[in-house]
Amino acid sequence: MIRGSQTLTAIFPAAFTPDSSRKGKKSVFTAERDTCLAYRFYYYYHIARKRFDDAIAIMEKEFFIAGTTIIARLTENDALLKDIKQNNPDRAALRKRYPHFNW
């Protein structure tokens, strides 16, 4: 048991019931993160006109993951990038989809 967890859980009621069938949540958010990475890369590379390496460097700081991981995830989701490019969303559409980012 983590030190202080009983004190904190007594103050704040549980927001959800934990799913005991799953041990980790690593794969739960991966698809959402990869989609967000694709849209953010589209913004930096296509709309903001950043160089490829500059866009990746900025995204490293935003997402707290290595550039090689970002490139690997974007490469794996190339169909999504093609779809984004085909739909050609503007800043307003990106702001609506991810309002917590500065577009």
Side-chain angles (χ1 to χ4, degrees):
M1 183 160 285
I2 300 172
R3 185 177 181 160
S5 64
Q6 289 180 338
T7 303
L8 293 175
T9 55
I11 296 170
F12 300 105
F16 61 93
T17 54
D19 185 7
S20 60
S21 65
R22 297 186 59 123
K23 286 205 168 214
K25 292 185 180 182
K26 183 177 180 180
S27 63
V28 173
F29 301 111
T30 303
E32 291 176 36
R33 182 205 60 199
D34 290 350
T35 302
C36 187
L37 280 171
Y39 277 97
R40 203 62 174 156
F41 178 76
Y42 169 81
Y43 167 73
Y44 282 125
Y45 192 71
H46 185 71
I47 295 176
R49 300 286 187 198
K50 300 283 185 187
R51 287 187 348 215
F52 178 80
D53 56 330
D54 290 341
I56 299 298
I58 294 168
M59 291 171 63
E60 281 181 326
K61 294 176 185 172
E62 284 184 342
F63 290 93
F64 302 104
I65 53 177
T68 53
T69 304
I70 293 171
I71 294 168
R73 303 309 302 166
L74 291 174
T75 303
E76 190 171 312
N77 292 303
D78 64 335
L80 175 60
L81 279 171
K82 289 176 186 174
D83 185 52
I84 293 169
K85 174 69 172 125
Q86 184 179 12
N87 292 332
N88 201 19
D90 60 352
R91 287 178 194 249
L94 295 172
R95 192 175 297 117
K96 186 175 180 181
R97 185 174 180 103
Y98 296 106
H100 57 279
F101 279 119
N102 184 11
W103 301 98

